[in-house]
Amino acid sequence: MRKTVRAAVMAVRGRMGALVRGVCRVHGVRTVRRDAGMVTSEYAVGIVAAVAFAAVLYKVVTSGQVQSELQDIVKQALDGGA
């Protein structure tokens, strides 16, 4: 029963979309894509994830043990790897 209702809804949605596109084409109106806002939301999610990763990385790098290890690596590199 659910599949039948879902199929009917999708059929009506497709017919209505075709009707709207046809009317807009006749009157010279441009239609807007349904997923026009998805690109912006994907960028927002990506930025939030990048900021969260940067915060975690900052906390790790500025911790005492990691900071001393990084200083040792830099000192060895500057001393010629000795």
Side-chain angles (χ1 to χ4, degrees):
M1 177 80 178
R2 279 186 154 170
K3 289 184 180 181
T4 307
V5 172
R6 180 172 285 174
V9 169
M10 294 303 287
V12 169
R13 183 181 290 173
R15 289 181 187 139
M16 289 301 292
L19 177 65
V20 169
R21 285 190 298 276
V23 169
C24 290
R25 194 174 302 123
V26 168
H27 293 289
V29 178
R30 292 185 182 197
T31 57
V32 178
R33 290 183 1 193
R34 280 201 269 181
D35 62 344
M38 289 186 67
V39 173
T40 303
S41 64
E42 288 170 356
Y43 281 124
V45 169
I47 289 171
V48 168
V51 168
F53 180 73
V56 169
L57 186 62
Y58 176 77
K59 284 290 190 182
V60 169
V61 170
T62 57
S63 69
Q65 185 178 2
V66 173
Q67 198 169 19
S68 67
E69 291 293 327
L70 288 173
Q71 286 177 350
D72 290 343
I73 291 171
V74 170
K75 284 180 185 176
Q76 285 180 358
L78 292 176
D79 291 340

